[in-house]
Amino acid sequence: MIKLSLPKNPYWIDLPHGVRLYVRPLTMAVYESARAKGARLVQDVLRDHAEITLAGGTVEGLPDLNDEDARAGLSQFLFAQALAAAAIIRWEGVLSEDGEPMEASEAAVADLMRYHDMAEEFLIKYTRSHAEAVAEGNASRPSPNGTTAAGLNIAEGAESKDSPAPAEA
C-alpha cells in the first residue's frame, strides 16, 4: 500500500546558514526533467571541452572529464542546479556580495547550489517526501540491510535442513 501524502502546495525548506527556500511541490516530471538536463549539460561540456582542446585551447576549472566518477559528480552537480532552478519560487537568507537580499534568479540559484552543504541539504530535503512514499509503499520490499532474511516465514512446513547443493569433495 502507499499513502498519497505528497505535498500539493508550495512549502518552505530550511537549509544551513539561515537560508530558507520556498519551493514548488516535487513532481516526477520536474525531477526527471532536471535529471535529463544534468546529463545533457555534461555531454555539452564534454563536446565543448573536446572542441576547445582540438583548437589548441585549454579549459580550467573543470574536473578531469576523462574520469567517469568526475563526470558523474559533475552530472549530479548540474542536476542539483537544474532541480533547484525548477523548484525555488523565492528564498530568505541569501545575500549579494553587498549584503543586500537577493532575488531567486536562475543564476543566483545556480550559485547557491555551488555550495556543497546547500546542494546536498536541498536534494535531501526536497526529495524526502518522494523517498518516504516509496519506502512505505511496498510491504514486500527487502529488509533495510538488503536481504530478505528478515521477512516473515509464510511457508512454515517448507523449511529443510538438507542442502540441495552437492557436498564438497
Side-chain angles (χ1 to χ4, degrees), residues 74 111 153:
L74 180 59
D111 282 347
N153 181 359

Side-chain angles (χ1 to χ4, degrees), residues 16 34 37 62 75 84 94 109 115 120 127 130 152-153 159 162:
K37 184 174 185 177
L62 288 176
S75 181
V94 179
V109 168
Y115 292 87
E120 186 172 39
T127 61
H130 282 257
L152 296 174
N153 181 359
E159 288 189 30
D162 299 327

Side-chain angles (χ1 to χ4, degrees), residues 26-37 79 83:
L26 178 61
T27 65
M28 188 60 132
V30 168
Y31 184 89
E32 290 302 324
S33 173
R35 181 180 300 284
K37 184 174 185 177
F79 163 69
L83 190 60

